[in-house]
Amino acid sequence: MTTHEGIKPLQPGPAHGVATSWTHAPYPALVADEAGGIVQVNDAAATLFPGAVPGALLDDTVPGWLADAHRGLARRGGGDGVPGRTVSGRHGPLVLEAHPTVGVDGGVVWWLTDDTDRLLAERALRHEQERTAFLAQASTQLLASLNVRRCMEVAVELAAEHLADAAVLVAPPNGRHHPLAGCVAGQAPEHRMIRVDPAEVPGLSEALQGFPPVPSRWIDPASLPPWAVPDGFEGRAGSVVVTPLPGHGVPAGALILLRHGDRAAFDAAEEVFAGLFAARAGAALSAARLYTEQARITATLMADLLPPALTQIRGVEFAGGYRPSQDTERIGGDFYDVHPATEEGQETLAVLGDVCGKGLEAAVLTGKIRNTLQALLPMTGDHEHVLRLLNRALLSSRHSRFATLALASVVRRGGKVRLRLTSAGHPPPLIVRHTGEVEQADTSGTLIGALPHVRATTAHVELAPGETCLLYTDGITEGRGGPLGDVMLGERRLSATLAECAGMPAEAVVERVQMLATEWVGGNPHDDMALLAITAPNRAQLTAVDGRTPGRYTA
């Protein structure tokens, strides 16, 4: 019998049991000579390879990959008993690893281990890692947009590509119609708004109510209505999954997954994974809908807080400008309003104010002041009385902020405009005469919302055609900038600029002052800025002479 280094012939005596104990080892082992003949096998190897008996050839009894590996080792000649390179391959359903040790005579001892469970575990681990990575990627893509339509598109695109061959997302009803998004793998998603009967798809009604999904084997793909199959899905559906999209407190919809008939049906693990994806898609959709609803509510509430668009009212030009302290904000503590007279000859009330503070909190008090003044319009014949009532309302509120105001009651008499101007802790309005002279209205008073009693004096001003009264907040004059970046614009520079605006329309005056303030502060921090221009037009409205000719201007 051929022997090699490390394998000794069996000897009689006490050592015989130790030398033969390897034959009962739990791992298959066999010894083959240089020519590929089997010399010895243990019990485990004989069970694994029934034809492997001493004298048989490896080519006839073991898998080809093992026989080839043996020939490669034998061709290189004798070894030193050190284990060689491990090889592996399949044997029926098993995956085996073979560990060789080459003897000096070219014979090889092969120890084999069953590696099937380890490889299956590694494959399962890779599969779970891929699924986890997909769910993380899906969450990122789903949450990348707070647009409901785009979120629905992303959900069906991901589902069609990674979970099935096609997907349909059914959103909660909007009135009598359901928004639907469908997608076939590799194609662009589609949107529809149609009337559907969820009861036509087994489990869909329950999914839209947030109940757990029904098993896919309960759903007959042939019974699906046409609306549940996206356009472009060719052939017949062989397997269908319907899973709910959980939302924040209420269901966000349901997801229908379709797989072609030539593919394997959804198994239980895939249905569970579809539910994990649906949970992320539902959370993203719910967040998008919540944001959309909040944005709609915010826009509705903000509509009453934004400065109004102004034009000519009762023969008087009005123009306003507003710049919040932060470029990212639309509202703040400065405001202006114009309440047109209901009848010819009555006064129009113009208001410009500055609430202590900035941002949303100041804007809330701004809204309260504007609404209160709206209610006090019938009393605006007495500015001081209106200010007292407004002061009382602010003191009784939960706000601890105060405000300054400038009131202007405006009426046109012939070609001139008459104003009653009252300042309550606010910079006095500036009057720009047609000559370029700038005057300060003789009015003063205490601020609103801070003291139990307020006082104010009212100035009476008359504007000739082309003359303007400018109401402004201190954000204009106190804006810091200039060459050194720390100098206030001040009333002197403002008056000098206004002098250049003599005869200009109200809108041009506002634009010129805003340009001055913007250039002065540059990129420096600044307070809210608001201004309101009231101008007597240079000429009256065009009137017809005899009903047929174009007409003429009358002063």
Side-chain angles (χ1 to χ4, degrees), residues 354-356 365 368-369 386-405 424-425 445-455:
D354 183 357
V355 172
C356 173
L365 184 56
K368 182 180 180 66
I369 293 174
V386 169
L387 294 174
R388 284 196 298 268
L389 293 175
L390 178 60
N391 184 67
R392 190 179 305 166
L394 294 185
L395 288 175
S396 63
S397 69
R398 60 183 179 85
H399 297 282
S400 59
R401 299 175 181 271
F402 57 85
T404 63
L405 289 176
T446 53
L447 48 82
I448 305 298
L451 303 174
H453 302 286
V454 296
R455 60 170 183 80

Side-chain angles (χ1 to χ4, degrees), residues 33-58:
D33 59 23
E34 186 176 4
I38 297 176
V39 178
Q40 281 182 291
V41 295
N42 69 356
D43 296 341
T47 302
L48 184 64
F49 308 122
V53 295
L57 296 175
L58 288 177

Side-chain angles (χ1 to χ4, degrees), residues 317-533:
E317 293 181 7
F318 292 89
Y322 176 69
R323 180 182 177 183
S325 59
Q326 299 291 333
D327 293 336
T328 55
E329 296 176 348
R330 298 180 62 196
I331 56 178
D334 288 8
F335 68 96
Y336 59 83
D337 252 330
V338 175
H339 303 279
T342 57
E343 297 179 8
E344 191 70 36
Q346 292 184 344
E347 292 179 323
T348 293
L349 179 67
V351 183
L352 183 133
D354 183 357
V355 172
C356 173
K358 304 175 183 177
L360 183 60
E361 292 184 356
V364 171
L365 184 56
T366 293
K368 182 180 180 66
I369 293 174
R370 293 175 69 182
N371 291 335
T372 304
L373 286 173
Q374 178 81 32
L376 296 176
L377 283 178
M379 305 177 186
T380 53
D382 185 346
H383 285 182
E384 189 171 0
H385 181 54
V386 169
L387 294 174
R388 284 196 298 268
L389 293 175
L390 178 60
N391 184 67
R392 190 179 305 166
L394 294 185
L395 288 175
S396 63
S397 69
R398 60 183 179 85
H399 297 282
S400 59
R401 299 175 181 271
F402 57 85
T404 63
L405 289 176
L407 304 180
S409 291
V410 187
V411 64
R412 178 170 176 167
R413 295 284 187 262
K416 296 185 177 182
V417 174
R418 295 178 181 175
L419 299 92
R420 290 188 297 115
L421 302 172
T422 304
S423 172
H426 203 81
L430 297 177
I431 313 300
V432 186
R433 298 301 182 183
H434 59 82
T435 60
E437 181 184 358
V438 178
E439 304 172 0
Q440 190 177 79
D442 187 16
T443 175
S444 62
T446 53
L447 48 82
I448 305 298
L451 303 174
H453 302 286
V454 296
R455 60 170 183 80
T457 59
T458 300
H460 295 264
V461 175
E462 190 172 78
L463 300 179
E467 296 181 342
T468 297
C469 173
L470 181 70
L471 285 65
Y472 63 95
T473 60
D474 57 12
I476 298 287
T477 53
E478 294 181 1
R480 292 185 178 272
L484 300 179
D486 60 350
V487 179
M488 290 195 299
L489 188 146
E491 293 183 4
R492 183 178 59 82
R493 291 185 181 88
L494 176 60
S495 297
T497 300
L498 286 176
E500 301 170 358
C501 298
M504 288 186 179
E507 188 173 349
V509 174
V510 168
E511 185 176 346
R512 180 67 184 92
V513 175
Q514 282 188 311
M515 185 183 302
L516 168 70
T518 300
E519 291 177 349
W520 186 262
V521 299
N524 294 336
H526 60 85
D527 200 356
D528 296 334
M529 299 179 180
L531 59 157
L532 176 63

Side-chain angles (χ1 to χ4, degrees), residues 105-367:
D105 60 352
V108 183
V109 179
W110 289 99
W111 290 92
L112 295 101
T113 58
D114 184 356
D115 209 31
T116 308
D117 291 341
R118 182 182 67 82
L119 291 178
L120 289 176
E122 288 181 352
R123 185 180 305 166
L125 178 60
R126 284 195 302 270
H127 188 53
E128 289 304 316
Q129 289 173 335
E130 291 172 357
R131 286 186 166 186
T132 301
F134 163 68
L135 290 177
Q137 176 190 9
S139 297
T140 301
Q141 294 185 27
L142 287 165
L143 294 172
S145 173
L146 289 174
N147 180 281
V148 175
R149 182 184 178 95
R150 178 56 187 155
C151 193
M152 292 175 66
E153 289 179 355
V154 172
V156 292
E157 282 180 321
L158 290 172
E161 181 180 354
H162 297 278
L163 304 179
D165 297 317
V168 176
L169 193 156
V170 184
N174 185 359
R176 296 185 177 182
H177 295 75
H178 285 264
L180 268 66
C183 184
V184 177
Q187 300 182 18
E190 59 180 13
H191 286 269
R192 287 177 289 173
M193 176 72 78
I194 60 175
R195 275 183 92 166
V196 303
D197 181 8
E200 293 179 330
V201 180
L204 181 58
S205 296
E206 293 79 5
L208 288 172
Q209 299 176 57
F211 291 107
V214 300
S216 63
R217 64 180 181 275
W218 292 6
I219 305 174
D220 180 11
S223 66
L224 290 178
W227 58 261
V229 180
D231 295 338
F233 186 80
E234 299 179 354
R236 65 178 184 85
S239 182
V240 180
V241 167
V242 177
T243 184
L245 299 174
H248 297 152
V250 294
L255 187 64
I256 303 174
L257 303 176
L258 301 96
R259 187 171 281 178
H260 284 117
D262 57 356
R263 291 187 57 188
F266 291 99
D267 58 29
E270 288 175 320
E271 292 184 45
V272 172
F273 185 67
L276 295 176
F277 170 79
R280 285 158 174 78
L285 269 173
S286 183
R289 289 200 180 96
L290 181 61
Y291 171 80
T292 301
E293 180 64 17
Q294 289 178 339
R296 186 186 66 80
I297 293 173
T298 300
T300 301
L301 296 176
M302 190 174 288
D304 283 338
L305 297 177
L306 291 174
L310 301 180
T311 182
Q312 190 172 109
I313 301 173
R314 300 290 182 184
V316 181
E317 293 181 7
F318 292 89
Y322 176 69
R323 180 182 177 183
S325 59
Q326 299 291 333
D327 293 336
T328 55
E329 296 176 348
R330 298 180 62 196
I331 56 178
D334 288 8
F335 68 96
Y336 59 83
D337 252 330
V338 175
H339 303 279
T342 57
E343 297 179 8
E344 191 70 36
Q346 292 184 344
E347 292 179 323
T348 293
L349 179 67
V351 183
L352 183 133
D354 183 357
V355 172
C356 173
K358 304 175 183 177
L360 183 60
E361 292 184 356
V364 171
L365 184 56
T366 293

